[in-house]
């Protein structure tokens, strides 16, 4: 998180910045806060997720791809009412916006979520999230199998998601390009809990055409703390 957001949370006391996951709450969930006025930080070093996701891919993905979505999104909403919305409100009526806002706004938000969904530290889902996954998919293994299959088979560029529906039930879905489940154009809508980028730029340097291997290794670096916190605060 950015220093200024952190200071807003703790007032003026100058204490060491806490671990990202310790301060994850409603005020800094990406879709609920104001659109970032500066390009948001990556919450770890480029090589933090080696060997599952290599440093060069992370660096290019963050500094080139994510940065370009952010820059183009800011240009697309400049001096429009959209600039004052949270992305959640913007995405709820994204069908009324130009494609530049939909594609770049999605790219800005989806990558923020994706970075937060990854961690170098091994984590486990909370008891509450685990119970909800077992209720919706029978078991954690069945959930991972369904999510992996969707991610591996997704045709073209896009994303795989674990989503909490409005009825509280969890489901797996996929979206094209930079669309996401918060958008009114999404076939299956809800609150995204876990995101996986399956655009070729997310894995091609290391895995080339072997997307299934990238998807299998993704499970080694999932930040279940953040996914659990998103589930609990949705
Ligand atoms: Mn990407």
């Amino acid at each position: 998180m950015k220093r200024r957001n952190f200071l807003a949370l703790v007032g003026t006391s100058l204490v060491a910045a806490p671990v990202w996951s310790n301060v994850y709450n409603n005020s800094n969930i990406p879709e609920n806060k104001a659109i970032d006025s500066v390009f948001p930080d990556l919450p770890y070093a480029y090589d933090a997720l080696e060997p599952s996701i290599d440093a060069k891919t992370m660096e290019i993905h963050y500094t080139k791809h994510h940065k370009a979505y952010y820059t183009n999104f800011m240009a697309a909403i400049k001096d429009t009412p959209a600039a004052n919305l949270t992305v959640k409100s913007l995405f709820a009526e994204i069908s009324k916006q130009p494609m530049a806002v939909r594609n770049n706004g999605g790219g800005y938000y989806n990558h923020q979520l994706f970075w937060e969904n990854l961690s170098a530290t091994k984590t486990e889902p909370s008891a509450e999230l685990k119970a909800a996954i077992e209720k919706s998919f029978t078991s954690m293994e069945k959930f991972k199998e369904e999510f992996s299959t969707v991610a591996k088979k997704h045709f073209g560029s896009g994303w795989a998601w674990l989503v909490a529906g409005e009825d509280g039930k969890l489901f797996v879905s996929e979206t094209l390009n930079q669309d996401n489940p918060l958008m009114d154009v999404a076939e299956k809508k809800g609150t995204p809990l876990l995101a996986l980028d399956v655009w070729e730029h997310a894995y091609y340097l290391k895995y080339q055409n072997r997307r299934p291997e990238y998807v299998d290794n993704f499970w080694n670096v999932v930040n279940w703390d953040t996914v659990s916190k998103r589930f609990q605060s949705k």
Side-chain angles (χ1 to χ4, degrees), residues 111-174:
H111 288 89
Q112 261 193 301
L113 194 61
F114 185 44
W115 309 142
E116 289 183 7
N117 276 172
L118 303 172
S119 167
T121 314
K122 191 160 170 52
T123 54
E124 296 293 338
S126 67
E128 292 87 347
L129 176 61
K130 191 162 176 283
I133 287 175
E134 285 167 354
K135 195 174 169 197
S136 301
F137 302 95
T138 320
S139 68
M140 186 58 77
E141 291 65 39
K142 289 273 182 217
F143 154 64
K144 285 187 178 177
E145 200 178 297
E146 185 178 332
F147 186 101
S148 295
T149 301
V150 166
K152 290 173 187 179
K153 289 189 173 169
H154 178 82
F155 189 77
S157 298
W159 294 75
W161 306 92
L162 170 64
V163 185
E166 274 165 20
D167 58 0
K169 208 163 185 270
L170 305 188
F171 61 87
V172 165
S173 74
E174 62 193 304

Side-chain angles (χ1 to χ4, degrees), residues 124-127 129 223-233:
E124 296 293 338
S126 67
L129 176 61
N223 186 342
W224 287 109
D225 284 347
T226 304
V227 182
S228 301
K229 281 174 178 136
R230 288 187 64 82
F231 173 67
Q232 267 130 268
S233 59

Side-chain angles (χ1 to χ4, degrees), residues 139-213:
S139 68
M140 186 58 77
E141 291 65 39
K142 289 273 182 217
F143 154 64
K144 285 187 178 177
E145 200 178 297
E146 185 178 332
F147 186 101
S148 295
T149 301
V150 166
K152 290 173 187 179
K153 289 189 173 169
H154 178 82
F155 189 77
S157 298
W159 294 75
W161 306 92
L162 170 64
V163 185
E166 274 165 20
D167 58 0
K169 208 163 185 270
L170 305 188
F171 61 87
V172 165
S173 74
E174 62 193 304
T175 56
L176 283 169
N177 303 319
Q178 295 295 351
D179 287 355
N180 66 55
L182 291 169
M183 291 182 172
D184 62 353
V185 293
E187 199 180 316
K188 296 168 84 178
K189 287 179 268 297
T191 304
L193 304 180
L194 176 66
L196 176 57
D197 189 342
V198 295
W199 282 59
E200 284 187 347
H201 69 230
Y203 61 87
Y204 213 83
L205 278 181
K206 179 180 169 79
Y207 295 99
Q208 291 84 49
N209 60 321
R210 305 186 309 278
R211 190 200 290 175
E213 204 178 315

